[in-house]
Amino acid sequence: MTVVFEKTNYARFVNIKKPKKTLIVELDTLLTGSNSFNKIMDLESVGTSNGLRRKKLKVSLEKDLSKRDLSSLPKSVLQRIFSHLDTQSIHNCAVLCSTFYNLSKDSSLYKILNLNYRMSENALEYHISKITHPDTVEIEYDSDQSQDDDLTFFNHSIVKVLRNCGEDIFSLKLDNCKEEEVLTNIDNCVNLERLILHSCKSTFSSLLSLCKLRTIKFSSCHFPQKIVKEVIKNNLYLKSLYLSNNINVNPNELCEVMSRQSYDIKDIHINERKRLRARSLKTLSRLTNLRKLSIISEAGFDCNPEDSFELLAAGCSFLEKLCIDNWKEINDANFISALRMFSQLKTLILRRTNITIKTCREAAITLPLLKTLIVVKCQRIKKAQLLLLKKDFEDIDIPLQ
């Protein structure tokens, strides 16, 4: 079969040894930047009125394609590619050719500012001068920081960014930060919607001024008493909350606060040192828009769930993911009755609970949308039972370990 490769200003004829079928392939429109698609068409459909035999031209398509490189793509396509690169990667590309160099001057590319304690002073100044209106700022300190480390210039640079660019920042991430001077200036980010803190320690008084947060993620942080509770209380339109292994965070108080005001929240992950009570879990049934709920306790819950899951299933009718880890008091008797009410559940994780294979089979039968069932580290469930269940319900992902 002979095909023709058509483009806006040239054509190529190529012989392909395949059955004679009409072949039309639309190549990626990004290569042309317009509505003129590259096409491969069957020449069997192309003929002349007088029946003259067509003239066939054999041209190496590979040779033509080898002349193309990334810099030949339209500017709009290159801008989209470069928008996914960090500042250092764009800087590295700029020295490759004049096209990339000119593109690197586009200020719209620089929206993500990454500052690392390993950076030299020149590198810090270059990044900060290049990215004048960042919408995302990520700052990393040394996890093994000692008092002898001189971070004066690094701290000063971060404070400068938070003060000068605070209104432009929508997402802020801080790792291992224990510098009061830096954390105090978070209150300059008045439009902040996403805040991630990991292994940070401070008075955190600046967090009380934030009121537009949609996503909160705090892990391994040392908070003063009641701070996290007040932060959640001040952000009425919270959509996602992730709390893990923090100091001075009471999940029972937080559940009470969210149940009264956080009606838009869709994702809750709680893995705190203080144990969650069944009564507090019941209050979450008021969050009717909740889609994902993860309740984890390394120390164990040490309380009877009572009817908390039945109330949760009745109130959170759109729940798609439920994860319960290390709640030994959960068993077949107090969970199967609630299980049948989670009609929208797609992922069910019951790790380190006291259920048997009976609950697993009931979930596989009664939950029409179930795609993933994880029940590892449940002492009353044997591997052979899971293998049989996996064989009976092949459309459900059931990990064995």
Side-chain angles (χ1 to χ4, degrees), residues 364-392:
I365 294 173
T366 61
L367 300 179
L369 303 179
L370 190 65
K371 297 296 181 184
T372 303
L373 176 62
I374 302 177
V375 289
V376 294
K377 297 184 179 181
C378 293
Q379 295 182 354
R380 299 181 66 186
I381 299 177
K382 300 183 182 301
K383 186 175 181 180
Q385 294 175 321
L386 284 180
L387 283 171
L388 182 60
L389 185 68
K390 192 178 180 71
K391 183 179 179 180
D392 293 341

Side-chain angles (χ1 to χ4, degrees), residues 105-132:
K105 297 180 180 180
D106 188 351
S107 60
S108 65
L109 296 175
Y110 302 98
K111 293 298 183 182
I112 301 177
L113 178 59
N114 292 288
L115 300 178
N116 192 294
Y117 71 96
R118 302 184 189 91
M119 289 180 173
S120 65
E121 293 185 5
N122 290 336
L124 283 170
E125 291 179 345
Y126 170 79
H127 280 70
I128 293 173
S129 63
K130 199 72 176 177
I131 308 177
T132 55

Side-chain angles (χ1 to χ4, degrees), residues 25-282:
V25 179
E26 293 185 353
L27 301 180
D28 195 343
T29 56
L30 294 178
L31 294 176
T32 59
S34 66
N35 293 327
S36 299
F37 297 107
N38 294 331
K39 295 181 180 179
I40 298 177
M41 303 179 63
D42 184 8
L43 275 187
E44 296 298 332
S45 62
V46 181
T48 56
S49 59
N50 56 7
L52 294 176
R53 187 176 180 177
R54 292 187 306 267
K55 181 180 179 180
K56 297 181 179 180
L57 300 176
K58 296 182 179 181
V59 179
S60 174
L61 184 61
E62 289 78 8
K63 183 179 179 181
D64 180 70
L65 292 175
S66 65
K67 297 179 181 179
R68 299 182 181 180
D69 56 31
L70 192 62
S71 62
S72 64
L73 294 175
K75 183 179 179 181
S76 59
V77 178
L78 289 174
Q79 284 178 324
R80 185 169 181 178
I81 294 173
F82 272 52
S83 67
H84 296 283
L85 302 179
D86 57 29
T87 306
Q88 187 59 47
S89 298
I90 295 175
H91 178 67
N92 293 340
C93 291
V95 300
L96 298 178
C97 64
S98 59
T99 302
F100 291 170
Y101 175 75
N102 293 330
L103 188 65
S104 68
K105 297 180 180 180
D106 188 351
S107 60
S108 65
L109 296 175
Y110 302 98
K111 293 298 183 182
I112 301 177
L113 178 59
N114 292 288
L115 300 178
N116 192 294
Y117 71 96
R118 302 184 189 91
M119 289 180 173
S120 65
E121 293 185 5
N122 290 336
L124 283 170
E125 291 179 345
Y126 170 79
H127 280 70
I128 293 173
S129 63
K130 199 72 176 177
I131 308 177
T132 55
H133 298 284
D135 57 20
T136 300
V137 176
E138 298 180 356
I139 302 166
E140 181 183 354
Y141 281 83
D142 186 4
S143 58
D144 298 323
Q145 180 182 342
S146 65
Q147 296 181 351
D148 297 333
D149 295 333
D150 186 7
L151 297 174
T152 304
F153 187 83
F154 185 60
N155 291 336
H156 176 73
S157 300
I158 296 173
V159 171
K160 180 180 178 181
V161 170
L162 295 177
R163 288 178 177 175
N164 296 341
C165 311
E167 294 184 357
D168 300 315
I169 300 173
F170 290 94
S171 176
L172 177 63
K173 179 180 179 181
L174 284 161
D175 276 350
N176 303 302
C177 181
K178 298 173 178 62
E179 304 292 335
E180 188 69 28
E181 180 186 11
V182 172
L183 293 167
T184 301
N185 281 277
I186 293 179
D187 58 5
N188 290 294
C189 307
V190 293
N191 296 313
L192 198 63
E193 295 183 358
R194 185 169 182 261
L195 178 60
I196 301 175
L197 300 178
H198 174 69
S199 295
C200 298
K201 182 179 180 180
S202 168
T203 60
F204 291 107
S205 58
S206 59
L207 300 185
L208 300 178
S209 64
L210 303 177
C211 59
K212 297 182 179 180
L213 290 176
R214 300 291 186 270
T215 300
I216 292 176
K217 186 174 182 179
F218 298 155
S219 59
S220 303
C221 294
H222 191 154
F223 293 100
Q225 294 283 351
K226 309 293 185 181
I227 282 291
V228 176
K229 177 183 176 181
E230 294 301 319
V231 170
I232 293 177
K233 188 181 294 186
N234 293 340
N235 291 273
L236 301 177
Y237 303 103
L238 195 64
K239 292 189 177 296
S240 178
L241 176 66
Y242 182 101
L243 300 172
S244 177
N245 198 33
N246 298 290
I247 296 176
N248 292 329
V249 173
N250 188 335
N252 299 293
E253 293 180 350
L254 301 185
C255 288
E256 292 286 346
V257 172
M258 288 188 292
S259 67
R260 297 193 194 102
Q261 63 177 46
S262 303
Y263 301 119
D264 293 332
I265 198 165
K266 294 184 177 182
D267 188 357
I268 297 177
H269 178 103
I270 298 177
N271 180 14
E272 288 297 343
R273 303 181 181 190
K274 191 173 181 62
R275 295 171 176 174
L276 182 70
R277 297 191 300 266
R279 178 182 176 183
S280 300
L281 183 61
K282 293 178 184 179

